[in-house]
Amino acid sequence: MKKVTALLVAMALCLAALAGCAQSKPQDAPPANADQPAAPADTSSDPVTVTVWHDGDEGIMQTIADQVNAQLADDQITVVFEKKTDMPNQLKLYGSDAANAPDMYFYAHDVLGSFVAMDILAPLSDVTDTGILADHLPMTVEAGQIGGKQYLLPVYFETLVFLYNKALWEGDIPGTTEELYDYMVSHTDAAAGTYAVVNQHTNAYNVSPFINGFGGYIIDENAKPGLTDPKTIEAAAYNQKFGALQADGDYNTVTTLFNEGKAAAIIGGPWLVSGIEAAGIDYGIASLSDIKLPNGSGLAPFSGIQGAGVLKVALAEKKDAVAKVLTAMASPEVGVDLAVKSGCAPANNKSYDDPQVAAKEMISVIQKTASTAQPMPNIPEMGSMWGPVESMLTAINKNGADPAQAAADAQAAAEQAIADMQ
Amino acid sequence: MEQKRIWKPWLYCVPALLLILIVIVFPIVYTGYISLTNMNLYHWTDYSFIGLSNYARALFKFDSGFLSALGTTLVWTVLNMVIQIGAGFFIALGLNAPGLRLKRVYKTLLMVPWAVPAYISILLWRVGMFNTEFGILNKFLSLLGLGKVDFLAGNAIAFLSCMALNLWMALPFMISTIDGALQSVDSSLYESATLDGAGFWVRTRFITVPAIRPIIAPAAVMTTFITFKQFDIIYLLTQQRGYMTGATLNTVITYAHQNAFASNNYGLSSAVSMLLFVVIILFSIMTNRSLREDQA
C-alpha cells in the first residue's frame, strides 16, 4: 500500500511540475505568425478590450484611459492600461507572442527603433489613416518615424526646464550660461550643503542641453557615435565647471536637495513637479532655450515624445478597435485632459487653443523650449549609447579625466557596443 | 524481479529529476544552444546557427579588462571570505559566552541584514550611508570638522565600501552557521581541557576549530561562490545607469554584463555566460578537491 501511495504521489508531482508548461488558452490563440495579412476584424458589436502596456505614471495613463473610453463607449471598446516594470524588455520578450503580448504599448519614442528592428510593431498606416496626426506638432510626429514610416502616435512630450525656488533665488534668471555660472560660484557652499543650481551632470539626457547647444551630438541618423566630435568634447568640457558646483549629481541627491530647500534651482522635467509641490515649494519655471551659451545658441535639451505603438499581433483580431483607439488618443481632448490634470504638454497643437492649457506655466515653457529641443534619436543603436556617454561624463566630472581622452575611450566603447548588437 | 529493483528507485526519483531538468539543466542547455546562434535584436525570431563564432568574439572580450576584473574578483572573494569566517567565528563565540544575557535578542538582531532584500539594503547604504550630502558617514565627518568624502568615487575606496556592505549582508549567515556548529561541540571536551590547564586559544585551536570545520565547510564553499559571482552590490552601488559614481571597479560578472549583456545580442551574451559557467565549474572542482583533501 505504501508503495502504491509513493508511486501515486510521484506521478502527481510529475504532473504538477509539467502543468505550468501548458498553454493558457490554446483554443483562443490567434495565428502565431504576425506577418500574415490581417483577417477581417471585429465587425461585430461585441465588447472589445484593448490592452496597453506602459511603465509610466499611472495617473497619466488613467487620464488617457478615461478620455478614450468615454469617446469609445458607444463602440463598446475599452482601453486597459497595464503597468509593466521595465516594459521595453518585457515587450522584447513577449512582443511577438500572440498569447501574451499586449495590443499596444505606451512609452517614450527613443526605444522605437529597437521594437521596429525586432519587427514586432505595425506601422500606423496599416491600422488607420495617418491623417489623424495632421494637427500634431511636427517634432513629435517625426520622432515617431523610422525609415519614413510612422510607428508611434505621439500623445504628449516632455523636455528639461529650469525650475527655481522663488524664496531662494535672488534676482532674475540669467540670460547666459556664463552669468548662470557666476551666480552659481557666488551662491554655492558645498561644505555647508547649499547649492545655487543642481543638475544630473553625468546623465546624458541632462547634459544634452549643452551637447546639442554646442552643435555636438551623441549619435547620428547613420548610427555613428559622435562623442569624439569636437563640438561634443567642447560641450562636455564646458559642462565640467558646472558639474563641480552641482553636488553628486545623481537623481535622488539633486531632487532631495531642491525639495529640502538646499538648492535654489534644478534642471529637470515636469516629472519633478508633484514632489516639489508636495514639499510646499513656491517654484518658478524658465525655459532653457532662453539661456544662451557662449556661442550664442540657447541651451537645447533632448525632448522625449510619449506615445502609443501597435503590436503586429493585435491586427489579426482587433484592427478596427485599435484604429478607433488611436483616433481617440490623437484627439485634442486627450491633450487637454493631460495638460489640465497631469501638467503634460500635448502633442496635438489644437489642445493649446484651450484656455486652461494656455494658462499652465509649465506647458507654455515646454512649448517654448520645443523651439530648440531636439527629439532623442530613436534608432536601435541609441540604446547602446547611454552607458558610454555616462561613463565619459562621469570620468570628466567626477574623476577629472581629460575630456578628449574620456571621449575617445567612450567612443571606442560605444562603437564596440554597437558592433556587439549585430 | 531484478529488473523491477533497478527501475523502481529511478521512478521514485523522477519528480526530483524532472524538477532539476526543468530548473537547472534546461536553462544551461538552452543557453548553450542560443550561444551557437545569431539571436539578437535584428534576428529575434529568424535566428540561425552560426557555429562557434560567438565564442571567438567572447574570448576576444576576455582581454586585459577581463584579467583585471578576474584579479579584482579573486581579491574580493579571498578578503571577504577571510573576514567573514574570522569575524563570524569570533562573533559566534561571543554569542555563546557563558553568562551572556539577552543572547537570543542579539542573535535575532544579527539576522536583520540577512532578512532585508538585497536591493533595499544596497539602496539604503548608497543613500543613507555613503551619500555625500545625506549619508550618515559624511554627517559624522562634518561633525568632526572634516571635509566630505565620496565613498564610492575611487576604485580603492569603492572596493572597501562595497566590501563593508557585503560583510554586513553576509555575516549573519556565517554567524548563524558557526553558532549552530558550536552547539554540537561536546562541552565535556572543554571541561577536560580546562582541567588539563588549556586556555582559550588552545581550546579554540584543538577542540572548537576541528569540531566545527566539517559543519561549516559546505556553508563556506557556498558563500565563496556567492561572493565570487557577486553582481548586485558592485553594480548597484557604483555602476547603475544614472548613478555612476566614477569608480571603474569590475568583477568578472559586472565586466561581462558591461561588455555583452547590454548589447541585446543574446547569442554573444550566452557565449559569455557559458564561458563564465566553465570558469565557475573549474573553480568548484578545485574547491571540492581541496575540501576532500582537508577531510582526508
Side-chain angles (χ1 to χ4, degrees):
Chain A
M1 185 61 195
K2 273 183 182 172
K3 285 177 185 171
V4 174
T5 312
L7 273 172
L8 282 174
V9 170
M11 285 168 64
L13 264 170
C14 289
L15 287 173
L18 290 171
C21 303
Q23 284 252 315
S24 53
K25 288 188 290 180
Q27 71 278 19
D28 296 333
N33 186 352
D35 289 333
Q36 283 177 357
D42 46 337
T43 48
S44 67
S45 58
D46 290 342
V48 181
T49 299
V50 174
T51 311
V52 187
W53 281 6
H54 75 99
D55 190 9
D57 183 280
E58 293 189 86
I60 291 176
M61 299 308 144
Q62 194 56 51
T63 302
I64 299 170
D66 289 347
Q67 177 59 240
V68 171
N69 287 339
Q71 289 187 34
L72 300 178
D74 293 342
D75 296 302
Q76 299 198 66
I77 295 169
T78 309
V79 169
V80 177
F81 280 87
E82 287 181 9
K83 188 170 174 106
K84 298 282 175 185
T85 306
D86 194 12
M87 197 280 291
N89 275 328
Q90 293 227 37
L91 206 59
K92 283 173 188 169
L93 285 176
Y94 297 112
S96 55
D97 175 5
N100 294 300
D103 303 307
M104 298 171 69
Y105 81 93
F106 196 98
Y107 203 77
H109 75 282
D110 58 315
V111 295
L112 192 62
S114 301
F115 296 154
V116 173
M118 290 172 63
D119 200 25
I120 59 173
L121 295 186
L124 297 189
S125 56
D126 286 4
V127 187
T128 186
D129 177 8
T130 50
I132 58 173
L133 298 172
D135 295 324
H136 281 56
L137 292 164
M139 174 193 78
T140 65
V141 176
E142 284 159 19
Q145 293 172 349
I146 300 273
K149 289 184 180 174
Q150 190 76 38
Y151 286 95
L152 191 81
L153 175 90
V155 176
Y156 68 92
F157 70 102
E158 52 202 12
T159 190
L160 293 169
V161 293
F162 188 88
L163 293 145
Y164 61 97
N165 184 330
K166 288 180 177 173
L168 297 177
W169 192 269
E170 296 169 10
D172 295 330
I173 303 302
T176 68
T177 50
E178 281 305 303
E179 288 168 15
L180 182 68
Y181 179 70
D182 291 342
Y183 184 94
M184 288 169 71
V185 170
S186 58
H187 290 79
T188 297
D189 183 353
T194 55
Y195 297 88
V197 181
V198 287
N199 184 25
Q200 290 173 255
H201 55 83
T202 56
N203 182 314
Y205 187 82
N206 280 58
V207 182
S208 65
F210 291 90
I211 296 174
N212 295 330
F214 268 91
Y217 63 98
I218 289 177
I219 191 166
D220 68 12
E221 63 276 13
N222 300 314
K224 182 178 174 292
L227 307 183
T228 47
D229 183 272
K231 305 273 187 199
T232 309
I233 296 172
E234 189 184 359
Y238 186 68
N239 174 59
Q240 189 178 21
K241 67 178 184 183
F242 291 87
L245 298 171
Q246 291 174 331
D248 183 51
D250 78 87
Y251 177 82
N252 290 329
T253 304
V254 297
T255 49
T256 309
L257 282 171
F258 187 75
N259 291 347
E260 288 191 353
K262 290 177 177 171
I266 185 170
I267 293 174
W271 52 87
L272 297 180
V273 166
S274 57
I276 293 169
E277 287 177 349
I281 290 172
D282 181 18
Y283 65 98
I285 310 166
S287 171
L288 288 175
S289 58
D290 287 342
I291 303 174
K292 307 295 180 196
L293 287 160
N295 64 6
S297 304
L299 288 168
F302 272 149
S303 59
I305 286 81
Q306 299 278 346
V310 179
L311 277 293
K312 275 188 173 179
V313 292
L315 300 189
E317 294 199 335
K318 297 182 181 174
K319 186 178 170 183
D320 290 349
V322 169
K324 287 176 180 167
V325 169
L326 288 172
T327 307
M329 272 190 190
S331 67
E333 290 80 9
V334 168
V336 171
D337 277 5
L338 280 172
V340 172
K341 293 179 184 171
S342 305
C344 301
N348 190 322
N349 217 2
K350 278 198 169 175
S351 304
Y352 293 93
D353 295 341
D354 188 288
Q356 294 180 90
V357 179
K360 287 265 180 186
E361 186 185 14
M362 173 64 85
I363 291 167
S364 59
V365 169
I366 290 179
Q367 195 190 14
K368 185 177 187 186
T369 313
S371 63
T372 59
Q374 294 183 16
M376 285 183 283
N378 62 8
I379 54 175
E381 291 80 3
M382 184 61 196
S384 295
M385 291 303 299
W386 297 112
V389 181
E390 199 168 328
S391 295
M392 166 182 156
L393 295 171
T394 303
I396 295 170
N397 291 358
K398 292 193 174 179
N399 294 346
D402 171 53
Q405 185 56 50
D409 293 344
Q411 178 86 0
E415 285 170 355
Q416 184 60 54
I418 289 169
D420 283 346
M421 290 175 69
Q422 299 286 341
Chain B
M1 188 65 187
E2 187 61 32
Q3 223 177 8
K4 205 173 172 185
R5 245 183 231 162
I6 293 168
W7 64 257
K8 207 180 259 180
W10 285 103
L11 190 65
Y12 290 135
C13 290
V14 162
L17 289 174
L18 205 63
L19 207 66
I20 290 169
L21 198 73
I22 294 168
V23 177
I24 297 172
V25 179
F26 173 72
I28 295 171
V29 173
Y30 189 64
T31 304
Y33 165 66
I34 295 295
S35 71
L36 302 172
T37 70
N38 64 343
M39 187 186 196
N40 62 34
L41 205 60
Y42 306 99
H43 301 282
W44 200 253
T45 49
D46 61 336
Y47 52 89
S48 54
F49 184 78
I50 56 165
L52 294 171
S53 59
N54 279 327
Y55 284 90
R57 292 175 70 184
L59 283 169
F60 176 69
K61 290 199 166 298
F62 286 4
D63 53 9
S64 56
F66 178 79
L67 292 177
S68 147
L70 186 63
T72 306
T73 310
L74 291 174
V75 175
W76 163 266
T77 308
V78 170
L79 279 179
N80 271 289
M81 288 315 297
V82 167
I83 298 173
Q84 266 184 60
I85 294 173
F89 178 71
F90 285 107
I91 293 171
L93 276 183
L95 288 171
N96 281 283
L100 179 69
R101 287 182 179 182
L102 301 172
K103 61 174 73 173
R104 283 183 187 281
V105 175
Y106 302 144
K107 286 181 184 179
T108 309
L109 285 175
L110 276 167
M111 285 301 111
V112 171
W114 200 40
V116 179
Y119 184 79
I120 306 289
S121 294
I122 297 165
L123 199 70
L124 280 174
W125 275 65
R126 192 176 72 201
V127 179
M129 196 69 79
F130 297 134
N131 188 280
T132 49
E133 306 298 322
F134 310 107
I136 287 174
L137 293 176
N138 271 305
K139 294 272 182 208
F140 186 66
L141 288 175
S142 65
L143 276 178
L144 296 174
L146 301 169
K148 288 177 185 172
V149 174
D150 192 340
F151 290 94
L152 302 171
N155 282 351
I157 195 168
F159 183 91
L160 293 174
S161 303
C162 290
M163 203 167 78
L165 174 54
N166 187 53
L167 290 171
W168 185 79
M169 286 167 67
L171 263 175
F173 175 71
M174 199 51 78
I175 293 169
S176 65
T177 306
I178 297 172
D179 179 47
L182 288 174
Q183 311 301 320
S184 68
V185 185
D186 188 349
S187 59
S188 63
L189 294 172
Y190 292 118
E191 286 159 14
S192 309
T194 308
L195 286 174
D196 289 342
F200 170 77
W201 292 108
V202 173
R203 288 200 307 267
T204 300
R205 184 179 167 194
F206 292 105
I207 299 174
T208 313
V209 172
I212 66 170
R213 196 160 64 179
I215 303 171
I216 65 166
V221 170
M222 206 167 79
T223 312
T224 305
F225 283 117
I226 292 169
T227 312
F228 184 85
K229 63 187 181 67
Q230 180 59 252
F231 172 78
D232 44 7
I233 290 178
I234 291 168
Y235 179 77
L236 291 174
L237 274 188
T238 67
Q239 297 179 359
Q240 198 184 8
R241 244 188 64 196
Y243 300 97
M244 280 188 185
T245 61
T248 51
L249 197 65
N250 264 318
T251 62
V252 283
I253 307 289
T254 59
Y255 185 78
H257 175 268
Q258 208 173 67
N259 283 275
F261 298 97
S263 63
N264 279 321
N265 187 332
Y266 284 67
L268 181 62
S269 309
S270 300
V272 172
S273 300
M274 291 307 290
L275 290 171
L276 285 175
F277 175 66
V278 170
V279 170
I280 289 173
I281 288 289
L282 289 175
F283 188 49
S284 161
I285 291 169
M286 277 158 51
T287 316
N288 281 332
R289 189 171 289 169
S290 67
L291 204 65
R292 270 203 300 270
E293 281 164 4
D294 267 10
Q295 283 165 351

